[in-house]
Amino acid sequence: MLNDAKTRRPSPLRAHSQTDPKCQRGDCERPCARRGFTLVELISTCILMGVVFSVSIPLLTVVAHERRTAEQRQFALQHATNLLERTLTRTWSELPVGNQELAAAPADVQTLLPGLDRQVDVRELTEEPRSKQVSVSIRWHGRSGELVAPIRLSAWVYPNGEGQP
């Protein structure tokens, strides 16, 4: 008899979960599935995380520097726009030719743009139609102390009734 229980092979032992009630009581004959991780897995995870951090931290530093530089340029552009608009509120006869005297910059501007250098220059153009060119230039010192590329804006003012569209 081939179907006899004595000749039948025992089923292979399969791992099972430790949530099985027999395994929790210790009555289980089958090996229980292991929980946790080995020391090799822990070390390899730490090495991988170290590599990721060693690559990402310098990258994050560069991104933060670029963001700060972009914020400074945006702030300088807004300040230059404000200076130009204030200058353009004057009439033709109130705009003297040459460098304009500027009041001291507000404290927040000086804080965000260290070593701030602002210039407003008015030039009279003799070509037809007659006009005055108003140019605003703003420079400041960057993080390493060098002057950054200036922000420059220009606009033209025409005498009343001449050349304006």
Side-chain angles (χ1 to χ4, degrees):
M1 287 184 141
L2 293 175
N3 289 339
D4 194 284
K6 293 180 183 177
T7 59
R8 199 180 301 168
R9 286 185 174 172
S11 63
L13 296 177
R14 293 184 195 150
H16 63 283
S17 171
Q18 288 188 353
T19 57
D20 185 16
K22 283 185 177 181
C23 190
Q24 288 177 350
R25 288 192 308 257
D27 297 347
C28 183
E29 297 172 0
R30 295 185 295 175
C32 298
R34 67 179 175 93
R35 288 185 156 191
F37 42 86
T38 64
L39 187 59
V40 172
E41 292 170 332
L42 179 67
I43 290 172
S44 63
T45 302
C46 289
I47 289 172
L48 285 174
M49 287 178 63
V51 168
V52 167
F53 285 135
S54 68
V55 169
S56 64
I57 288 175
L59 182 63
L60 290 175
T61 303
V62 168
V63 168
H65 175 68
E66 291 297 321
R67 181 185 51 82
R68 190 176 318 112
T69 302
E71 285 176 355
Q72 282 182 326
R73 289 198 70 78
Q74 183 178 7
F75 193 77
L77 179 61
Q78 183 62 48
H79 185 61
T81 303
N82 291 343
L83 281 175
L84 186 62
E85 286 178 359
R86 251 184 269 140
T87 305
L88 292 178
T89 58
R90 300 180 190 167
T91 62
W92 171 272
S93 59
E94 293 174 336
L95 274 176
V97 176
N99 281 334
Q100 305 295 305
E101 290 292 321
L102 298 172
D108 61 338
V109 174
Q110 291 178 356
T111 302
L112 287 171
L113 304 173
L116 179 65
D117 177 30
R118 311 175 304 159
Q119 293 179 351
V120 177
D121 185 44
V122 178
R123 294 184 321 161
E124 187 167 356
L125 304 175
T126 56
E127 305 95 37
E128 287 298 322
R130 280 183 48 210
S131 63
K132 289 184 180 178
Q133 180 184 13
V134 180
S135 299
V136 175
S137 176
I138 294 183
R139 293 189 86 171
W140 66 95
H141 292 281
R143 188 173 178 192
S144 59
E146 81 285 352
L147 284 171
V148 298
I151 301 267
R152 292 187 179 113
L153 297 177
S154 295
W156 286 262
V157 177
Y158 298 93
N160 290 339
E162 289 184 33
Q164 290 181 327

